[in-house]
Amino acid sequence: MRYISPSMALRPACAIAAESAVCRRPGRSTRHRLAIRLTALGALAVMAAAPAWALPTDFNDKVESALLCRSDWSTAFWQGYFDKHLQASIRDWGEARWWSSQGAQLGGASTVEVFTNVDTSRALMLGVLIAQPVEEVKRTLEQNLKVAFKPVQTVDGLRYVSDTLSVLVGTTNQQTKWYCAKWNLGNRERVQPLAPQY
């Protein structure tokens, strides 16, 4: 009887089909191709999970500051900023232009859309739509931003207003609009009031 070393013995699955490609030990080139395929699949999975457009690093700070009425802005600035970083607007509705917010986290709340006034609006407005009830959003913002929103009853219903006049208002479908609005008085370029001439 001929001696067969253990290294030369075939596995049981390969005994029947010794010539099968499944039973052959893959060489370096096969392993290399397999590694390249796995790397490519991993890269595709990462790209599929990432948003289509990456938000700039200062996006949250800029938008939060505007929502809290702590910064000045112009309609042209925000429309250009959102067009650049959030792709094209999705609609004009209610004297506002709307963009998908790509799920940006603002004040700890996940947003759905952002909006700003259209050029013909009487108010300068910047806001976001959040897919949570107003009471939840109020708690989240107060905890994360250390700001207080006080209830104010208006003819249109209950609103929550901060000391800087940032506003939270609930919608009929259990979502929340968080916005800052300033009346367009036509003299916003003036830095200091003019002294009377005597």
Side-chain angles (χ1 to χ4, degrees), residues 141-153:
L141 298 183
E142 287 180 336
Q143 179 182 349
N144 293 328
L145 299 177
K146 308 302 183 217
V147 63
F149 287 90
K150 305 292 185 192
V152 175
Q153 189 65 47

Side-chain angles (χ1 to χ4, degrees), residues 54-153:
L55 296 174
T57 55
D58 63 348
F59 183 88
N60 287 15
D61 291 337
K62 278 188 175 180
V63 178
E64 283 174 7
S65 180
L67 288 168
L68 291 169
C69 300
R70 293 179 177 164
S71 67
D72 206 355
W73 71 84
S74 70
T75 299
F77 169 80
W78 281 112
Q79 287 182 3
Y81 187 79
F82 291 148
D83 280 339
K84 179 178 179 182
H85 299 297
L86 298 175
Q87 305 176 24
S89 63
I90 53 179
R91 69 179 166 277
D92 281 9
W93 178 78
E95 290 193 54
R97 184 157 294 149
W98 298 75
W99 291 260
S100 168
S101 67
Q102 298 183 38
Q105 293 277 328
L106 299 172
S110 182
T111 63
V112 179
E113 295 178 355
V114 298
F115 61 91
T116 186
N117 60 288
V118 293
D119 299 338
T120 57
S121 175
R122 294 172 297 136
L124 296 166
M125 180 180 284
L126 179 88
V128 293
L129 181 65
I130 301 168
Q132 291 177 313
V134 68
E135 295 291 343
E136 289 180 27
V137 174
K138 177 180 177 292
R139 279 193 299 273
T140 300
L141 298 183
E142 287 180 336
Q143 179 182 349
N144 293 328
L145 299 177
K146 308 302 183 217
V147 63
F149 287 90
K150 305 292 185 192
V152 175
Q153 189 65 47

Side-chain angles (χ1 to χ4, degrees), residues 148-186:
F149 287 90
K150 305 292 185 192
V152 175
Q153 189 65 47
T154 70
V155 292
D156 297 323
L158 182 66
R159 284 165 172 29
Y160 294 95
V161 182
S162 75
D163 60 350
T164 58
L165 302 183
S166 179
V167 179
L168 296 174
V169 60
T171 66
T172 55
N173 59 351
Q174 295 299 302
Q175 297 189 56
T176 302
K177 286 182 188 174
W178 175 22
Y179 65 89
C180 176
K182 300 178 181 181
W183 292 111
N184 187 353
L185 302 176

